[in-house]
Structure formats: structure tokens, C-alpha cells
Amino acid sequence: MPAKNPTPKHSSAAAIDALLDERRSYQPSNEFREKATIRDESIYAQAITDPEGFWGKVASELDWFVAWNRVLEWKTPDAKWFLGGKLNVSYNCLDRHIRGARRNKAALIWIGEPGDRRTLTYWDLYREVNKFANALKKLGVAKGDRVAIYMPMVPELPIAMLACSRIGAVHSVVFGGFSAEALRDRINDQQAKVLITADGGWRRGQIVPLKHDADEALKGTPSIEHVVVVKRGEFPMHMKEGRDHWWHRLMDGISDHCWPEPMDSEDMLYILYTSGTTGKPKGIVHTTGGYLTGVYATTKWVFDLKEEDVFWCTADIGWVTGHSYVVYGPLANGATVVMYEGSPDWPDKDRFWQICEELAVTIFYTAPTAIRAFMKWGTEWPKKHKLVSLRLLGTVGEPINPEAWVWYHENIGGGNCPVVDTWWQTETGMILISPLPGITGLKPGSATKPLPGIVADVVNEQGESVKVGGGYLVLKRPWPAMLRGIYGDPERYREQYWSRFPGLYFTGDGAKRDADGYLWLLGRVDDVMNVAGHRISTMEVESALVDHPSVAEAAVVGRNHELKGTAISAFVTIKEGKDSGPELAGELKEHVVKKIGKIARPEEILFTADLPKTRSGKIMRRLLRDIAEGKAVGDTTTLADPAVIARLKTKYEEQES
Ligand code: ATP
Ligand code: MG
């Protein structure tokens, strides 16, 4: 059914053009609506009328040792939430559940890539966390100390995080796919005292030699006093006498009770570095009370979480999505969490669907990059499995192209699971823009509206609200899980987020608002292309390309052009079994013209099996721009596979000559 009010093509105040006119829409079914956790629109009004009362009420669903005396102190750009309140994160994720019916409920169902499996009930997880908290204390870790974690996706990873939170240590998880240098720099930036790692992990049937790489990093990290090593397999590596300790030996015979440290609401919980899509990663600081309140509430609202759900967020815990929606949000809610160690195409391209079927997963949350890979592999893979247990799907990480959204809705959700497109950042800590699946009508490609209590806006160059049309996405009021800064760099914090529009948090992303007030994320403003006086978002041209039946994924960039000023270069991945060739290139250019207009016609199209992505799976357009302009390629340290860039560069140069 078409949307009532299509987006007008241009608006004089707009800072970014709105070209794509997506009109499909989906309403929640009556069945879903009737059972939904949030059934009633009035939650939005409550949050607007009395924001502090609203967040205070949400926070009171957590267990506090000492109640706060003030909900919010806001001195731009510094927010403090629940001042004077004391609580412990691990206590909220564990202790309060083991006293009741959740004691023997599965907290974590873990599947290793080779097929091994472990299930920990809330009681099991509670004991492991308490023991490891005591082990950390034995190594001299105290409140406020930083602990770096460099691990595969194994249960010891959330156990280590929760153990840190239990004793008030600050954890900093470094994604296990990062190099030794990346680990070293992150350890040094925060002066971590202990490193927790593993002998190795499994990825696509290969061993990831974590301890070996960690040893490389440890040559340049003088702050590290101890290293704890989880034994994942029989992986070759070396233990350094005095410094390195096996996890299982430390846990042997240690007490399974450790008092939870009462933490101030504003005490630091963790530091996490951003994905580094736009440049050097930033060490984002999150604190205790506001963060937990934000992830607790959004898990419940956005995923419509129920006691009997089996919740699977496929993100690696090394990214913020894993922190907030594998560990803290679901466990604070007492949910059953699925955790998988490996890759979606190992041993075959149906691994995720096999796990969904076997564990009867009900809520599935993944990234557009994964969805586009599933599209590329074809529908025969999900068709091998009965996915009837699924009732809600989610996506996060990049704008989702409408075609990918519809594919996901039909082929994974069987046409009857709401898809929640959730916009947020490492900095925001929690989901900020997303549907509430029981009440929000969905439009493929739109993250819909800010959640209750969140005040977002789309503004033009002058910081004025763009009522309908495209512009810069900003946040106007503080929210509980917002970052409290960039670790050790208050100046960069102000400069990065608060200088572009005084008094407003600038997200760095573009967005457009349609006549229904729906928000459509347009990608990063650094990537916006200036073509013949039009400001065109990469997202809209990419979505027009992905709309073609042969295309699985596309990335476009604007490059300098002698005559036009800027020309659009498109890098396109086609679906398996489809033919690429000069005819297809011509067809795709015309397809873009038909979908969004002549102005967006790509000058050239390069077919490629892979696009350059960060290790979290996001397309790095700045590197493609360098290739298209024949420049030396910029910083590639956060790139997942540097070989992709080398191949693309050669191919691009061949095509040009
Ligand atoms: P860096 O800031 O270092 O460049 P990054 O921005 O990639 O890294 P993250 O915090 O992991 O690091 O990613 C947040 C960004 O991801 C958002 O600013 C936005 O660009 C994009 N994003 C996340 N979710 C969505 C979504 N649902 N729709 C559109 N974009 C999204
Ligand atoms: Mg960012």
C-alpha cells in the first residue's frame, strides 16, 4: 500500500537532495499489535511532557543500591544521569534474576564454529562471573583499572566483561579480528593493566592466532602486568612465565561469590573504539547508570522482548552492537541470548538459518552488509530451513537499501515479521531511531522515528530544522546512554560532535524527513556528492542500483571530473549466477536514471566481487574515492581485507586505460 504523502523531490531549505521515492509500507499485524510490549502511542507523549520523570521511571525498573537524587544534569556538552545513584551492572544482569524463576533459564546458548556447544543458565553465568571477578582481584585489578579484552566469540568474553563490571574495573574490548598494532595502540591509549585473550579462535575453518598476535602487541605495552589466556583449543602458542596465566587455572578452587561493587551512576563502565569508517577510531567512554537504563529499555521496546524469546544479535561483541544487544541489554532483561563464534558461510551459506531452526530463534538482529551477502548467495540457503520460530527481525550498522529490506522481510521473515531498522552509533550507546514494532507502520529503508524520549532533527547548513527534505541529523536533548567523552581527549569530543551546530550533537550522518515525519538515513555527510549543484547522498544512488534484479550490493562515490566538476563512480557486486558485462553496465545506468533521475546517472560502473569494508562490515567509501581519483589510498588500518583495495585499484586503472 503506498504511503499517503510521498517525499517531495526538492525543498528549498534542504541541505541534501531527496531523490528516492520509496512508497511501500507495512502495518503491524493485529496479532503482533495485540501482544506487543508497547501497544500504545501515549509513551511518546509521556516522554515529551516530562522527560526526566519518564527516564526516572524507566531507570527504576533496575535494581539500585542507593537511589539517585537528581535524574539529569546538563551542561552542554556534558551530561550526568541519575546523580548520586549507586548500582552494579553485573548485579542487574545476574543477581536479580537468580532469585526467581529465571535461575535455571538459559542465559547464554553458545555455538562454536566447529559445532561445539555450551549452555549457561543464569545461575551458571552468575557463578562463572563471580569466580572470574575474584580471579581479577587476585591479579590486583581494582576499581577504575582498565582491562583490555581481545577474544574470540566464546562465553568467557561476556563473563570477563561482567566480571569487570562486578568489581568496578573498566573493560575495553578490542575486536578479535584486529591486528597486533591495533591492539597495542588501544591498550596504550587507555593504559590497561591486564589483557584477557585466548590461545585462538575459529573463523571460516581457520585458526585465529589471538595469543600469538597479542604477544606481538605486548612487546610495546608497558602498562600490562598480567595476561589471562582462555584455552579454546590445542592451538600452538607460548606462555610467558610470571606474566601469563591460564584462565582455567585461575578459576580452579576460587570462591564463587564476590560482592558486587556499588558503583556511582557516573562511574565508567567501558571504553570502546569506533569502527573507524571515517578515520582514526575514537575511544568512546560509557558510564554505568544511564547506559544500563538505555540499553535495558531499548532492548525491551524495540525488540518487543518477552520472557520466552530466544534472542540472537549476530554482531561480534567487539563492536558496540555486541556490547549493548548481545550482553548488557538482553541480560539486564533476563533474556535467553544466542552467541555464535564463527562466520555465516561456514561450513555452508546456511549456517545462520540452521542455527535459527535448531535453537528456535524468535528475534534475529543483523547488519545490512550481511543481508546483502545473503541476497547475493540466493534464496536456496534460507529455504533449506524452517524459520517459523522467527517473529521479529532487526538491522543495524548502515542504511539498509529498500530492496534488501524487502528481501529480508520476505525470505527470512516469511512476510510476517516486522523489520526494525535501528539507527544508532558507538557514541549513542543505545538505539535512538527505530520503529516500535507493535505500533509503527514500516517503510522499507526508513528507520522511521526517534524513540520515546529522543529528540532528533534534520537541519540545514544554518542549523535550522528542515521540515521535509534532506539535511544533517542532529540530536537536541541528552539521552541516558550517551557517550561521556572521548577517552583522554575532551577537546576532540567538543570538536567532533558539538562544534558544527552549537548546542546540538552532530551525528555526522545525513538524513531526510518525509511528509509523514519519517526519517531516512542517507549515510555519512562526508560521502555526500556535489553533482551540478545538487547534493546527492550515496545511499540513494546505491539503493537505485540494488533495486535492479542482478545487483546485490553497490557503493558509489563522487570523483573530480574535468567537465562536470563531480562525476559518480559506482562499484557494483552482482548476485551469484548473474552475468556482468557492458550491457549490464548500460542497463544499470539507465535504471538509476529511471529510479531517481538523470542527475544521478553514474559516469562509470565497475563490477567487483568484493567492496572494501571495515572489520565491522561497513563500506569504506573514502578509499573508493581515492581509487576513482587515482590518488594514493588513505588510511587502511581498519580495513578487513587490504587485498580488496589492491585488486580494485588494478581493475579500475585497467578499465580507465
Ligand atoms: P567512525 O566514527 O570511527 O568513522 P563508525 O561511524 O563506522 O566509525 P560506528 O559507531 O560503529 O562507527 O557506526 C555508527 C554509524 O553507522 C552511524 O553514524 C551511521 O553512519 C551508521 N549506521 C548505524 N546504524 C544505521 C542505520 N540503521 N541506518 C543508517 N546508518 C546506520
Ligand atoms: Mg562514527
Side-chain angles (χ1 to χ4, degrees):
M1 108 195 45
K4 287 191 301 283
N5 303 305
T7 312
K9 296 246 164 187
H10 300 286
S11 148
S12 54
I16 303 177
D17 284 35
L19 301 176
L20 195 69
D21 186 13
E22 172 58 57
R23 301 210 191 171
R24 287 169 283 194
S25 77
Y26 301 77
Q27 296 303 320
S29 69
N30 284 337
E31 198 199 342
F32 195 97
R33 196 189 292 266
E34 276 158 25
K35 292 189 197 141
T37 306
I38 299 183
R39 265 164 284 198
D40 185 351
E41 299 261 356
S42 66
I43 186 171
Y44 291 100
Q46 286 163 27
I48 290 171
T49 326
D50 175 15
E52 294 183 18
F54 174 78
W55 286 118
K57 200 164 151 236
V58 176
S60 68
E61 293 177 25
L62 299 175
D63 277 23
W64 295 75
F65 300 141
V66 177
W68 61 89
N69 45 48
R70 196 171 159 196
V71 170
L72 171 66
E73 181 189 281
W74 176 229
K75 293 182 188 146
T76 320
D78 299 307
K80 289 187 177 142
W81 283 87
F82 310 114
L83 290 87
K86 296 211 183 300
L87 76 168
N88 182 279
V89 167
S90 82
Y91 185 92
N92 274 281
C93 292
L94 301 168
D95 303 46
R96 64 184 187 139
H97 305 314
I98 61 165
R99 290 191 297 252
R102 290 182 185 140
R103 186 182 180 90
N104 299 314
K105 176 178 177 176
L108 211 59
I109 306 177
W110 172 82
I111 298 198
E113 196 187 74
D116 40 349
R117 180 163 155 180
R118 278 164 72 189
T119 301
L120 283 94
T121 63
Y122 270 94
W123 174 240
D124 297 331
L125 188 61
Y126 166 84
R127 290 176 60 220
E128 294 302 306
V129 167
N130 276 266
K131 281 161 68 179
F132 195 63
N134 282 326
L136 287 173
K137 277 187 168 173
K138 226 164 105 178
L139 294 177
V141 179
K143 184 174 169 179
D145 286 343
R146 271 86 53 219
V147 173
I149 302 180
Y150 182 60
M151 275 168 93
M153 282 284 280
V154 292
E156 285 79 3
L157 170 51
I159 291 168
M161 294 161 76
L162 289 160
C164 286
S165 80
R166 196 159 189 91
I167 63 172
V170 175
H171 63 68
S172 181
V173 182
V174 178
F175 171 57
F178 269 128
S179 64
E181 302 83 78
L183 174 62
R184 183 198 58 207
D185 293 350
R186 285 164 179 72
I187 289 175
N188 289 338
D189 188 57
Q190 57 182 286
Q191 293 291 296
K193 190 168 178 179
V194 166
L195 171 68
I196 306 168
T197 184
D199 55 351
W202 291 103
R203 185 81 195 172
R204 254 185 215 108
Q206 304 285 316
I207 296 165
V208 184
L210 288 157
K211 177 60 165 60
H212 177 268
D213 291 351
D215 280 340
E216 224 10 72
L218 288 162
K219 288 180 185 160
T221 56
S223 62
I224 296 286
E225 295 171 13
H226 296 282
V227 178
V228 181
V229 186
V230 173
K231 193 164 173 53
R232 167 77 184 100
E234 294 296 333
F235 304 139
M237 44 124 250
H238 172 75
M239 293 290 278
K240 185 170 166 185
E241 193 61 41
R243 183 195 69 184
D244 299 352
H245 314 266
W246 284 112
W247 172 292
H248 57 274
R249 296 251 168 83
L250 287 174
M251 298 284 269
D252 206 21
I254 207 158
S255 157
D256 63 3
H257 187 264
C258 170
W259 286 106
E261 187 71 33
M263 300 296 287
D264 188 272
S265 178
E266 280 300 323
D267 277 337
M268 210 188 294
L269 176 64
Y270 67 78
I271 304 168
L272 180 65
Y273 294 82
T274 54
S275 324
T277 311
T278 51
K280 183 172 175 268
K282 304 166 277 277
I284 301 301
V285 171
H286 282 294
T287 58
T288 304
Y291 175 79
L292 196 65
T293 302
V295 298
Y296 163 78
T298 48
T299 305
K300 198 164 102 172
W301 301 341
V302 172
F303 300 107
D304 186 49
L305 194 70
K306 303 278 166 31
E307 196 59 53
E308 59 279 11
D309 275 315
V310 178
F311 183 87
W312 186 14
C313 164
T314 68
D316 193 285
I317 293 175
W319 309 116
V320 74
T321 306
H323 281 58
S324 297
Y325 300 106
V326 179
V327 184
Y328 294 120
L331 295 180
N333 278 283
T336 294
V337 172
V338 175
M339 190 176 159
Y340 167 57
E341 179 185 32
S343 155
D345 54 355
W346 189 265
D348 243 322
K349 295 185 172 84
D350 61 343
R351 187 67 188 267
F352 276 10
W353 319 128
Q354 178 240 321
I355 294 173
C356 281
E357 180 176 14
E358 185 181 321
L359 301 182
V361 171
T362 57
I363 302 171
F364 180 78
Y365 188 33
T366 196
T369 188
I371 297 166
R372 292 187 302 250
F374 305 147
M375 279 174 76
K376 178 176 155 191
W377 297 337
T379 53
E380 66 262 36
W381 299 103
K383 280 204 184 112
K384 286 180 199 273
H385 298 277
K386 292 195 187 68
L387 300 176
V388 288
S389 58
L390 289 173
R391 64 178 198 89
L392 183 86
L393 303 175
T395 133
V396 60
E398 285 181 294
I400 182 161
N401 318 104
E403 224 36 54
W405 191 105
V406 171
W407 187 95
Y408 190 36
H409 183 259
E410 282 173 10
N411 294 290
I412 306 304
N416 52 33
C417 300
V419 176
V420 290
D421 174 5
T422 64
W423 177 88
W424 59 297
Q425 311 177 300
T426 309
E427 294 89 336
T428 71
M430 62 194 255
I431 298 169
L432 296 189
I433 304 177
S434 162
L436 290 175
I439 52 186
T440 314
L442 306 174
K443 301 186 189 186
S446 169
T448 73
K449 299 189 175 184
L451 288 177
I454 304 304
V455 186
D457 201 0
V458 177
V459 300
N460 62 16
E461 301 290 345
Q462 287 72 43
E464 299 153 351
S465 204
V466 175
K467 291 302 164 213
V468 174
Y472 306 109
L473 180 68
V474 297
L475 299 162
K476 293 190 138 168
R477 280 191 49 88
W479 61 98
M482 73 186 274
L483 76 164
R484 300 301 195 264
I486 295 178
Y487 191 71
D489 201 346
E491 211 21 68
R492 191 172 177 205
Y493 172 63
R494 284 169 184 272
E495 172 58 32
Q496 182 88 35
Y497 309 105
W498 301 93
S499 63
R500 180 76 171 76
F501 303 106
L504 303 178
Y505 172 94
F506 178 40
T507 61
D509 287 344
K512 68 180 180 189
R513 182 162 30 211
D514 70 16
D516 294 328
Y518 275 53
L519 298 174
W520 303 70
L521 273 299
L522 297 176
R524 295 160 199 288
V525 298
D526 306 350
D527 291 335
V528 168
M529 304 174 289
N530 206 329
V531 183
H534 290 266
R535 306 254 299 146
I536 301 177
S537 89
T538 51
M539 157 68 180
E540 296 204 311
V541 183
E542 289 160 4
S543 289
L545 287 163
V546 174
D547 183 72
H548 188 281
S550 294
V551 176
E553 186 158 52
V556 305
V557 295
R559 67 164 175 87
N560 287 324
H561 186 279
E562 329 65 275
L563 302 174
K564 298 184 170 176
T566 305
I568 297 177
S569 290
F571 298 78
V572 172
T573 303
I574 57 171
K575 290 180 183 159
E576 272 171 20
K578 303 275 180 181
D579 244 349
S580 67
E583 313 81 55
L584 183 60
E587 217 179 282
L588 291 182
K589 289 180 189 175
E590 288 325 305
H591 194 74
V592 173
V593 173
K594 193 177 93 204
K595 289 294 289 186
I596 58 179
K598 274 203 190 90
I599 185 78
R601 187 177 205 274
E603 183 75 17
E604 62 257 319
I605 290 186
L606 190 79
F607 293 105
T608 169
D610 298 292
L611 289 166
K613 293 184 180 171
T614 61
R615 286 163 213 257
S616 60
K618 296 175 203 257
I619 300 172
M620 276 165 102
R621 292 177 190 76
R622 62 184 168 85
L623 299 182
L624 292 173
R625 204 154 49 227
D626 293 341
I627 290 181
E629 294 190 340
K631 287 195 208 144
V633 176
D635 182 23
T636 57
T637 47
T638 56
L639 198 64
D641 180 5
V644 172
I645 276 291
R647 276 200 299 274
L648 270 173
K649 208 168 158 56
T650 317
K651 214 169 162 189
Y652 196 88
E653 282 158 6
E654 276 168 20
Q655 180 162 317
E656 285 296 275
S657 57

